[in-house]
Amino acid sequence: MPTTPWTPELWRLLWSFLAATLFGAVVGNFWLGWGLGLAVYLGYHGWQLRRLVNWLRSGKTRNIPEAGGIWGEVFHYIYQRQRKHQQRKRQLEEMLERFQEATSALPDATVVIGRKDEILWFNEAAAGLLGLHSSQDKGQPIDNLLRHPDFITYLNQNGRGGEPLRIPSPVDDGLTLAVHLINYGRDQRLLVARDISQQQRLEQMRRDFVANVSHELRTPLTVISGFLETLMDSGDECAARWQRSLDLMHQQGARMQHLVADLLMLSRLETDRSSPPRELVEVPALLAAIREDALLLSGDKGHHVTVDTDADLRLYGAERELYSAFSNIVGNAVRYTPAGGEVHIRWWRNGTGAHFSVSDTGIGIPAEHLPRLTERFYRVDTGRSREVGGTGLGLAIVKHVLSRHNARLRIDSMPGKGSTFTIDFPADRIA
Ligand code: ADP
């Protein structure tokens, strides 16, 4: 039979019982003997219990009391548990220390925020970029210290699903921060702010460069095109000999003018960070005008352009921008649909908002290109785009206009069958 801690304990009990019985026999009173035996036995356990309590109270792991039997076992297990617990604690402390050292060394400001938006912990970079001070700011609500209205909205919207927010640093207006709010653990959030001033300066330089070049090119191009037209219309004998070359020059000049206009429009949309004006836009009338443009663009290709609109549905937004977005999509439908094809424009509302769609029976777009179509100069087929007078900027303009109107673009397409471009406007844009 295997020895368990209970074996010596049972022996001890047996011997106590025998000794008590013997004592009872000697004094001639068994009850007295057993009573005394029980008292001694209970006294022994009481004494061990007291040693255990004293040892636990002392908090010393090392000086474990010596004991045999079941009490030895109890002391041993508690001792082992305590040692394991201490080891784990030490490991966790070391891990925490390493983690804090690593996050302290990060160049990005990192702040741990609690359930009530209070600051629980932050690193050194947070002091530099957000102006937090370790002694007085811990425990303060973060929106007491970062008071930019956009940040407060961002905090209330719980980080807008991981999208970064750009705000000036509260320490230095010249610094721009990209702020991310990340949810983790139970009701805790991590705020990470990165200094993107340099990146923003480069972006600004690029935007200015494109805008300036486009602007500078506009006047010479207008002059050249103007003279070419005069020459072509002059009926001059010399001009007649050069007719084909003049036509080509005029065509290419018009393409360049179109490209410059699109570049200027795009850089204006990019630079203008303010929300677009809330003009009352008569979309049905706008679509009727766009249909006329589409028929002109189609020329002798004979596309069937149909419009199906809700005549009372109007929108709040920037008319010029919306005109540009709608006509880019309709223009593409005509340009990428072979002669005689169908282009159907719809404008309607439902419970989710207002919707604009253009369906065509054109060449369609393979699925792998769809996610990249709104990038500048991204074309499925560059040769074809140039042939039909595309600049590669149309859908990039559409994307910018839509983001300024909180609207969304959806594209469904089947190569060889046609495409449908749909714009969803939120209900609060409906007039
Ligand atoms: P582009 O000036 O080249 O048309 P866009 O930005 O307007 O530039 O469009 C990007 C690309 O998307 C086009 O080059 C073309 O390949 C594709 N595309 C856009 N609309 C359509 C459409 N309705 N049918 C087929 N392809 C389209």
Side-chain angles (χ1 to χ4, degrees):
M1 206 177 89
T3 359
T4 69
W6 289 106
T7 317
E9 198 55 41
L10 285 175
W11 278 113
R12 184 173 295 141
L13 194 63
L14 190 66
W15 283 118
S16 308
F17 178 71
L18 285 179
T21 313
L22 198 65
F23 180 75
V26 171
V27 295
N29 185 343
F30 283 111
W31 288 111
L32 180 68
W34 288 335
L36 263 174
L38 193 64
V40 169
Y41 187 71
L42 283 179
Y44 166 74
H45 281 296
W47 174 66
Q48 293 290 22
L49 207 58
R50 194 165 158 252
R51 291 177 75 203
L52 173 65
V53 171
N54 285 346
W55 177 55
L56 289 176
R57 199 181 283 155
S58 76
K60 288 182 193 147
T61 332
R62 280 176 190 282
N63 303 335
I64 169 174
E66 292 285 337
I70 194 69
W71 283 104
E73 242 359 69
V74 170
F75 288 138
H76 176 70
Y77 280 129
I78 294 182
Y79 174 69
Q80 272 199 335
R81 284 261 162 113
Q82 284 200 341
R83 275 197 52 172
K84 249 191 215 152
H85 172 73
Q86 283 198 332
Q87 257 175 5
R88 207 170 301 152
K89 200 170 130 194
R90 216 170 304 130
Q91 278 173 349
L92 279 176
E93 274 170 5
E94 274 171 22
M95 230 168 80
L96 193 69
E97 227 167 82
R98 277 203 298 272
F99 169 77
Q100 287 198 343
E101 271 169 20
T103 35
S104 290
L106 278 178
D108 297 344
T110 313
V111 186
V112 177
I113 307 173
R115 186 182 302 188
K116 291 181 184 146
D117 292 343
E118 76 280 18
I119 299 174
L120 298 178
W121 179 87
F122 56 85
N123 67 353
E124 273 169 39
L129 293 177
L130 304 174
L132 302 183
H133 302 284
S134 52
S135 48
Q136 67 251 43
D137 292 343
K138 274 193 187 146
Q140 294 261 9
I142 181 102
D143 46 351
N144 268 6
L145 303 159
L146 297 180
R147 305 183 68 92
H148 195 284
D150 291 353
F151 175 73
I152 294 176
T153 317
Y154 184 71
L155 189 70
N156 293 336
Q157 291 174 342
N158 202 11
R160 270 189 247 140
E163 228 182 90
L165 166 79
R166 287 183 179 203
I167 48 166
S169 158
V171 180
D172 177 354
D173 270 358
L175 295 183
T176 306
L177 303 178
V179 177
H180 279 263
L181 202 59
I182 305 146
N183 288 296
Y184 78 99
R186 221 187 280 157
D187 293 330
Q188 292 210 339
R189 293 189 280 179
L190 194 67
L191 183 136
V192 181
R194 168 174 297 178
D195 178 6
I196 53 156
S197 317
Q198 179 69 9
Q199 180 192 335
Q200 216 189 19
R201 267 193 289 276
L202 286 175
E203 274 174 26
Q204 189 57 45
M205 268 168 63
R206 178 188 58 77
R207 275 200 293 268
D208 289 349
F209 176 76
V210 173
N212 289 338
V213 169
S214 316
H215 208 78
E216 293 298 325
L217 282 175
R218 202 159 63 163
T219 317
L221 270 175
T222 315
V223 173
I224 293 171
S225 287
F227 278 126
L228 275 173
E229 268 167 34
T230 319
L231 209 60
M232 283 159 76
D233 295 342
S234 67
D236 193 283
E237 195 186 309
C238 172
R241 262 190 288 138
W242 289 93
Q243 188 63 40
R244 206 181 122 60
S245 311
L246 287 174
D247 275 348
L248 266 176
M249 282 196 267
H250 188 248
Q251 234 176 49
Q252 294 301 321
R255 248 195 76 201
M256 277 179 83
Q257 273 182 314
H258 197 172
L259 185 65
V260 165
D262 275 3
L263 277 172
L264 278 172
M265 171 91 181
L266 202 54
S267 64
R268 194 181 59 74
L269 288 171
E270 273 187 332
T271 325
D272 188 357
R273 294 213 171 273
S274 61
S275 27
R278 276 179 83 86
E279 301 160 358
L280 185 62
V281 184
E282 294 281 352
V283 179
L286 206 69
L287 296 185
I290 288 175
R291 178 174 181 269
E292 294 305 313
D293 293 346
L295 289 173
L296 265 179
L297 182 68
S298 168
D300 51 13
K301 294 213 182 85
H303 291 95
H304 299 277
V305 185
T306 48
V307 187
D308 171 10
T309 57
D310 175 341
D312 300 324
L313 184 53
R314 294 169 305 167
L315 214 58
Y316 283 125
E319 179 157 351
R320 222 170 73 110
E321 292 179 20
L322 290 173
Y323 180 87
S324 169
F326 294 162
S327 67
N328 263 311
I329 295 179
V330 176
N332 279 349
V334 172
R335 281 184 282 132
Y336 297 105
T337 298
E342 308 277 338
V343 174
H344 184 55
I345 305 170
R346 275 185 76 207
W347 172 239
W348 77 104
R349 72 186 286 177
N350 61 13
T352 58
H355 311 274
F356 164 84
S357 80
V358 180
S359 305
D360 63 53
T361 53
I363 58 171
I365 308 156
E368 69 269 22
H369 295 285
L370 294 181
R372 299 194 57 192
L373 280 193
T374 55
E375 288 173 23
R376 289 145 223 244
F377 297 115
Y378 188 88
R379 288 128 152 169
V380 177
D381 177 346
T382 310
R384 181 155 195 155
S385 158
R386 291 215 178 103
E387 211 175 280
V388 295
T391 59
L393 294 172
L395 292 181
I397 292 176
V398 171
K399 184 177 99 172
H400 273 84
V401 170
L402 298 195
S403 98
R404 282 163 57 78
H405 286 79
N406 314 104
R408 212 167 58 103
L409 177 69
R410 285 183 286 134
I411 309 170
D412 293 305
S413 190
M414 187 87 86
K417 291 251 188 288
S419 318
T420 299
F421 284 68
T422 309
I423 301 177
D424 303 315
F425 290 94
D428 63 5
R429 284 259 160 216
I430 297 176

